[in-house]
Amino acid sequence: MFAVILSTLTIVVCYVYYRQLQKVRKEYENAKAVVDDIVFSFNRQLKQEAERVGLIACKVDAAISKGDNAKKAVEDVCRKVESLEGRVNSLASEKEVNTKRVEEIAKTLQESINVQRDLAARLAAVEERTKYPAVASDAKIEAVIPIKKEKALAPLTDTEVSVLDMLASEGPKTAPEIKERIKLSREHTARLMKKLYEEGYLDRDTSKIPFRYSVKEEMRRLLKRTESESAQQQS
């Protein structure tokens, strides 16, 4: 009887133990499945992270490459800037030199202009004196200069004689009026009239400008006498 009870207890204990083993095994399998899922998920995440790390590494490599290129570009720009600085400094030096040259040229040009103005003023004064010789301001008709006998008509040119004849027949005239008649330049006419006046052939009215020239009365009589003698010889 005792053996039967013991056997029964043993069987019951074995059955319970078996059921516990089945339960533990089932829990183990469930836990293993969960662990496998966790490991699979972890491996998948790890793979994704590895891919991300690889992508980041590629980007880092690309960035490093771009950084190297950018560094080279910056170095090139720095070299170009240094070259430009050298050119700018050279241009600045040339500018200073050119500025000094321009100032010297401007100074020389101003001196030339001043000299030209001075020469123009002197030339104008000379022309004025040549055209209108200086006379006493209070004299309207200059003093009579006596005709020199040895300088009658013989030393005169045909143009000078024609001027005397014109003044004797038409009356006093100015140098510009005489110039238009004898077709000479203003300077030539002025010299001619000055010569005739200084040698005593003409009188000069200085009361207004331009001066008026007229044949002296003595010269007028001499011209008339010469014309009369020529007419008598022809007759």
Side-chain angles (χ1 to χ4, degrees):
M1 187 67 180
F2 178 77
V4 173
I5 294 172
L6 183 60
S7 297
T8 302
L9 288 173
T10 302
I11 292 170
V12 171
V13 170
C14 288
Y15 177 75
V16 171
Y17 181 73
Y18 175 76
R19 292 293 300 272
Q20 290 292 330
L21 287 176
Q22 290 292 329
K23 184 178 179 181
V24 170
R25 182 179 179 181
K26 187 175 181 180
E27 290 178 355
Y28 170 76
E29 289 178 354
N30 291 333
K32 183 180 179 182
V34 171
V35 170
D36 290 339
D37 291 338
I38 292 172
V39 171
F40 178 76
S41 177
F42 178 76
N43 288 334
R44 185 174 60 185
Q45 292 179 357
L46 185 62
K47 184 178 180 180
Q48 291 177 352
E49 292 298 327
E51 291 177 353
R52 290 179 182 177
V53 170
L55 181 61
I56 292 172
C58 291
K59 291 182 178 180
V60 169
D61 291 338
I64 292 173
S65 178
K66 290 181 179 179
D68 292 337
N69 294 333
K71 182 179 178 181
K72 291 180 180 179
V74 170
E75 291 176 352
D76 292 338
V77 170
C78 290
R79 285 194 294 270
K80 291 180 180 180
V81 168
E82 291 176 356
S83 177
L84 289 175
E85 287 179 352
R87 292 182 181 179
V88 168
N89 293 331
S90 177
L91 290 174
S93 301
E94 292 180 0
K95 180 181 178 182
E96 292 179 358
V97 174
N98 291 332
T99 301
K100 292 181 180 179
R101 289 180 180 176
V102 169
E103 291 177 353
E104 292 176 356
I105 292 173
K107 183 178 179 181
T108 304
L109 181 60
Q110 187 61 40
E111 291 176 354
S112 300
I113 292 173
N114 293 335
V115 171
Q116 185 177 4
R117 288 177 179 174
D118 184 55
L119 290 175
R122 292 183 181 180
L123 181 60
V126 170
E127 289 181 351
E128 189 67 21
R129 286 197 299 270
T130 302
K131 185 177 179 181
Y132 309 118
V135 295
S137 59
D138 57 345
K140 292 186 177 180
I141 304 296
E142 294 188 356
V144 175
I145 300 176
I147 297 177
K148 300 176 182 179
K149 294 181 179 180
E150 65 274 12
K151 291 185 178 180
L153 298 178
L156 300 180
T157 64
D158 293 341
T159 302
E160 292 168 345
V161 173
S162 65
V163 170
L164 293 177
D165 289 335
M166 178 176 59
L167 293 176
S169 60
E170 299 180 10
K173 293 185 180 297
T174 63
E177 292 173 340
I178 296 170
K179 178 181 77 70
E180 294 297 327
R181 296 289 295 275
I182 62 178
K183 305 301 181 182
L184 295 178
S185 65
R186 184 185 64 181
E187 292 78 8
H188 194 170
T189 303
R191 288 196 298 269
L192 185 148
M193 301 307 294
K194 182 180 179 183
K195 174 187 174 184
L196 293 176
Y197 165 73
E198 290 179 347
E199 291 185 357
Y201 295 98
L202 302 177
D203 283 328
R204 184 169 59 190
D205 183 358
T206 60
S207 60
K208 58 183 179 180
I209 295 176
F211 302 152
R212 297 185 69 82
Y213 293 91
S214 60
V215 175
K216 290 185 176 181
E217 187 61 31
E218 185 179 356
M219 191 68 228
R220 189 190 305 276
R221 290 195 299 269
L222 179 61
L223 289 172
K224 287 183 178 180
R225 186 170 63 250
T226 303
E227 291 177 357
S228 299
E229 291 176 355
S230 298
Q232 290 176 1
Q233 289 177 359
Q234 290 178 359
S235 61

